[in-house]
Amino acid sequence: MKNEQFNKPDLKDARKRSKIESIVSEFHYNNLISNIGENKKYIIQTHGCQANEADTEKIKGLLESQGFTPALDETEADLIIINTCAIRANAENKVFGEIGRFKRLKMKKPDLVIAIGGCMPQEEVVVEKLLKTYRQVDIIFGTHNLHKLLDYLAIVMIEKRRVVEVLSFEGDLVENVPTVRDNRYKAWVNIMYGCDEFCTYCIVPYTRGKERSRKPEHILEEIQSLVNDGYQEITLLGQNVNSYGLDFTSRAYRFSDLLKDVSALNIPRIRFTTSHPKDFSLALIEALAKGKNLMPFIHLPVQSGSNRILKMMNRKYTKESYIELINTIRNLIPGVSITTDIIVGFPSETEAEFQETMDLVRTCQFEGAYTFVFSKRTGTPAALMEDLTPTEEKKDRLYRLNDLINEGFLRGNERFLDTNVKVLVEGPSKSNKDFLCGYTEHNKLVNFRGNPENIGTIIDLHITEAKTWSLKGEVLHE
Ligand code: SAH
Ligand code: SF4
Ligand code: F3S
C-alpha cells in the first residue's frame, strides 16, 4: 500500500513526565464512518496483563458498534487484531510468530486486515522490525490511541492506505469508549493508566506512559452501572493502584478514599491489582480491613529478597520494610491471602542473593506467585547492566524457586480444608465437564458438583479436598 499514515514512537519521549493533571474528554464517533464492519468478522488475540484484557473489551466495543461480529476462527476473519505485550522477550517472540503465521492467510485473502496494537508498538525497535520484515501488517497502533481504531480501519478499508500511528505522549483520558465485556458477573474497572515507577527492568512506564488517575465520579458511575446490570465482582485496575490520585492537583483524594466510596456501593466483591509495596499506607490497610466487600486477597509483588538487588531494581523499599508491611497487613486483616511476583537472575544477582529471596518467600508465607527469569528490555536501564550469569543457572534458580512457591500454594489451599467458603460460580470446570468451578473470597479455585443455574451467583460450599492448584468442595445449601 502507498501513502502510509506514519507516526512512530520514541522511548526517550515516552520517558518524559509532566506535572499537569490529565484532561478528560468524551469518546465520540466519527460521523464519516458508519457501519464499516457490516458483514465483516473479526478475531482478536490478547496477550499480557489485565490492562490489555480491559483494552480488548474496548476494542470489541468499538468494532461491534460498527457492525463487526466475532469470527469463529481465523480463516473466517476479515480483520485480525493482536493486542500485544512487551513485558518479556518471549511474550514478543510469540507475537512475531503469530504475525508470521497470518501471512499465509493474507496471501489467500488479500482484503484481510491485520492490526497490531498494545504495548509492543510503543517500542521503536518493534515498529522498525514490523515495517522491515512484516509487510502483511496494515495497522500499527499503540496504547494511547486505541479509541481511534475505527478511524484507522476506515483509512485501510476505504482509502486503502496503511496506518502506523503510535504516540509517545498520553493525551487525554478518554471516557465512555464503548465496551463489550467478556464476563457477565466479573468486570475490570480501570482506575488509572500508566506507571511512574521506572523499575529499572520494566518497559511498562514507556509503553503505558505517565500515571493518570480517572476521576472518582467516573469510576463510581461505571461501577454503579455494573451493579445495576447485576455484576457480582469488580477488579480495580492500575499498574500501581496505591498511587491512585497522586496526580490530582485539584483535590486530595487517594486510593483508600476510593476504596471506601466503592465499598459503599452495592457490589458483593471488590478486588484490585496491582499494588506497589512502597505506597501501601496504613490508611489503605485500615480501609481494607473495614470494607466487608473488599476481598481478603492482596497481590503484592516483591521482586527480590536482596536489598542490593532491590536497590538496583529501583524498587524503593527494603526486605525488612516489606516484611514489616506483610506483618502489619496480616495483623489488621486476619486470614488474608498474599501472593507476589519475583524475578530471578537480575543482572549480577549472586547465588547468595537468590537464597535471600528464597528466605523471604519462607518468611512471608506467600500463597502463590508469578515467577520470571529476568528478560532484557531494550531502552530500560537494566538492559545496560553487566549480566554474566549463564541462562542455565538462571533457569535452575527459577525451578528451585517454583518448588518452594508451589509448597506455599498447597499450604494456602490446605488451610481451607473442612471449612465453609463462599464461591462466585463461574461456569463448567476446565478439568472436568461434570463439575462447576468458581473462586473463593481468598481467590482460591474450587471445583464442585452443582447446579448450572447457580452460575453468576455466590454460594456456600464445604471444602473436602485441597490440592496444589485447586480445592474440591460440596454445595452446602442451594
Ligand atoms: N505493575 C505491576 C506489574 C507489571 S509487570 C507491578 O509493579 O506489580 C508484571 C510482572 O512482570 C512484574 O511484577 C515483574 O515481576 C515481571 N517483569 C517485569 N519486567 C520484567 C522483565 N524485564 N523481566 C522479567 N520479568 C519482568
Ligand atoms: Fe513495571 Fe515497576 Fe511500574 Fe510495575 S511498578 S509496571 S514493575 S515499572
Ligand atoms: Fe504487557 Fe503492557 Fe501489560 S507490557 S504486562 S500488556 S502493561
Side-chain angles (χ1 to χ4, degrees), residues 254-364:
R254 300 287 179 259
F255 186 50
S256 51
D257 301 309
L258 180 69
L259 273 184
K260 277 181 222 151
D261 286 345
V262 174
S263 161
L265 299 177
N266 189 18
I267 185 99
R269 289 181 165 197
I270 300 158
R271 301 186 188 278
F272 56 88
T273 199
T274 304
S275 286
H276 191 298
K278 163 196 90 135
D279 302 317
F280 214 111
S281 65
L282 194 60
L284 174 55
I285 304 173
E286 283 166 351
L288 275 174
K290 279 198 200 109
K292 294 272 176 292
N293 48 2
L294 299 172
M295 293 297 102
F297 167 76
I298 298 175
H299 184 64
L300 197 60
V302 67
Q303 314 299 358
S304 169
S306 149
N307 284 340
R308 188 183 74 91
I309 297 293
L310 285 172
K311 193 148 195 239
M312 285 179 78
M313 289 175 160
N314 189 30
R315 290 291 291 183
K316 304 171 193 124
Y317 54 86
T318 61
K319 166 174 80 179
E320 292 76 19
S321 66
Y322 184 88
I323 293 171
E324 205 183 306
L325 173 61
I326 295 276
N327 288 338
T328 313
I329 294 174
R330 289 224 162 98
N331 282 338
L332 292 177
I333 313 170
V336 64
S337 171
I338 301 177
T339 59
T340 198
D341 289 351
I342 295 170
I343 297 176
V344 300
F346 187 81
S348 82
E349 180 192 67
T350 63
E351 173 64 24
E353 285 163 340
F354 168 67
Q355 286 303 334
E356 286 189 73
T357 299
M358 296 285 274
D359 283 342
L360 181 88
V361 170
R362 290 185 197 101
T363 308
C364 292

Side-chain angles (χ1 to χ4, degrees), residues 371-390:
T371 57
F372 311 99
V373 171
F374 167 75
S375 173
K376 203 184 229 188
R377 311 314 297 133
T378 306
T380 63
L384 301 173
M385 295 177 188
E386 190 171 52
D387 188 11
L388 298 175
T389 315

Side-chain angles (χ1 to χ4, degrees), residues 87 194-206 208 211 239-240 274-276 301 303 313-315 341 343:
I87 200 82
C195 179
D196 287 346
E197 286 302 323
F198 289 101
C199 302
T200 54
Y201 50 82
C202 187
I203 197 75
V204 172
Y206 307 85
R208 293 275 170 181
E211 278 175 5
Q239 291 302 338
N240 173 14
T274 304
S275 286
H276 191 298
Q303 314 299 358
M313 289 175 160
N314 189 30
R315 290 291 291 183
D341 289 351
I343 297 176

Side-chain angles (χ1 to χ4, degrees), residues 302-468:
V302 67
Q303 314 299 358
S304 169
S306 149
N307 284 340
R308 188 183 74 91
I309 297 293
L310 285 172
K311 193 148 195 239
M312 285 179 78
M313 289 175 160
N314 189 30
R315 290 291 291 183
K316 304 171 193 124
Y317 54 86
T318 61
K319 166 174 80 179
E320 292 76 19
S321 66
Y322 184 88
I323 293 171
E324 205 183 306
L325 173 61
I326 295 276
N327 288 338
T328 313
I329 294 174
R330 289 224 162 98
N331 282 338
L332 292 177
I333 313 170
V336 64
S337 171
I338 301 177
T339 59
T340 198
D341 289 351
I342 295 170
I343 297 176
V344 300
F346 187 81
S348 82
E349 180 192 67
T350 63
E351 173 64 24
E353 285 163 340
F354 168 67
Q355 286 303 334
E356 286 189 73
T357 299
M358 296 285 274
D359 283 342
L360 181 88
V361 170
R362 290 185 197 101
T363 308
C364 292
Q365 302 268 307
F366 294 120
E367 298 190 354
Y370 294 108
T371 57
F372 311 99
V373 171
F374 167 75
S375 173
K376 203 184 229 188
R377 311 314 297 133
T378 306
T380 63
L384 301 173
M385 295 177 188
E386 190 171 52
D387 188 11
L388 298 175
T389 315
T391 308
E392 281 316 306
E393 175 65 34
K394 292 185 178 189
K395 280 192 189 155
D396 187 61
R397 284 180 199 168
L398 185 73
Y399 298 144
R400 284 182 282 155
L401 174 63
N402 284 347
D403 285 344
L404 186 62
I405 292 293
N406 293 348
E407 286 172 24
F409 255 115
L410 180 61
R411 233 187 0 260
N413 277 337
E414 279 174 346
R415 70 184 172 104
F416 293 96
L417 201 58
D418 274 330
T419 68
N420 296 341
V421 295
K422 290 199 178 303
V423 167
L424 170 55
V425 187
E426 297 212 342
S429 156
K430 302 217 166 41
S431 51
N432 183 338
K433 289 268 171 296
D434 297 333
F435 280 65
L436 295 174
C437 72
Y439 285 86
T440 68
E441 296 188 330
H442 295 81
N443 212 30
K444 311 286 179 191
L445 175 64
V446 192
N447 294 308
F448 60 98
R449 260 181 218 285
N451 186 346
E453 277 180 16
N454 286 328
I455 292 173
T457 65
I458 294 169
I459 63 169
D460 294 300
L461 293 180
H462 186 72
I463 299 302
T464 55
E465 201 183 325
K467 296 184 264 184
T468 304

Side-chain angles (χ1 to χ4, degrees), residues 97-274:
E98 286 298 88
I99 309 174
R101 212 163 56 76
F102 292 148
K103 188 172 186 174
R104 259 173 289 135
L105 289 175
K106 180 116 177 173
M107 277 173 0
K108 281 196 210 137
K109 194 183 204 176
D111 278 346
L112 172 68
V113 176
I114 300 178
I116 309 296
C119 286
M120 277 171 66
Q122 295 292 146
E123 304 169 276
E124 58 231 50
V125 279
V126 168
V127 172
E128 271 150 28
K129 186 166 169 179
L130 285 173
L131 291 175
K132 207 164 134 206
T133 328
Y134 297 85
R135 297 294 300 177
Q136 64 270 37
V137 175
D138 302 286
I139 302 175
I140 301 175
F141 65 108
T143 54
H144 301 313
N145 54 344
L146 170 161
H147 57 283
K148 297 186 69 182
L149 181 61
L150 295 176
D151 300 84
Y152 305 147
L153 280 168
I155 293 173
V156 173
M157 293 167 71
I158 300 165
E159 299 175 28
K160 306 285 179 206
R161 286 195 293 136
R162 193 184 197 208
V163 183
V164 181
E165 181 90 345
V166 184
L167 312 176
S168 301
F169 296 106
E170 304 77 13
D172 298 352
L173 275 173
V174 186
E175 289 293 339
N176 291 324
V177 177
T179 302
V180 172
R181 297 191 190 264
D182 278 341
N183 191 302
R184 279 189 295 148
Y185 324 109
K186 299 204 300 191
W188 308 119
V189 176
N190 288 113
I191 62 165
M192 59 190 297
Y193 305 96
C195 179
D196 287 346
E197 286 302 323
F198 289 101
C199 302
T200 54
Y201 50 82
C202 187
I203 197 75
V204 172
Y206 307 85
T207 63
R208 293 275 170 181
K210 81 164 186 168
E211 278 175 5
R212 286 148 290 147
S213 305
R214 285 179 72 199
K215 306 284 173 269
E217 51 275 26
H218 294 143
I219 297 171
L220 294 168
E221 222 170 78
E222 180 177 347
I223 298 172
Q224 184 57 52
S225 85
L226 291 165
V227 171
N228 299 347
D229 290 344
Y231 276 81
Q232 300 292 305
E233 179 175 310
I234 53 150
T235 302
L236 307 174
L237 284 186
Q239 291 302 338
N240 173 14
V241 290
N242 306 351
S243 301
Y244 175 81
L246 292 178
D247 54 329
F248 292 151
T249 48
S250 52
R251 56 180 122 192
Y253 187 93
R254 300 287 179 259
F255 186 50
S256 51
D257 301 309
L258 180 69
L259 273 184
K260 277 181 222 151
D261 286 345
V262 174
S263 161
L265 299 177
N266 189 18
I267 185 99
R269 289 181 165 197
I270 300 158
R271 301 186 188 278
F272 56 88
T273 199
T274 304

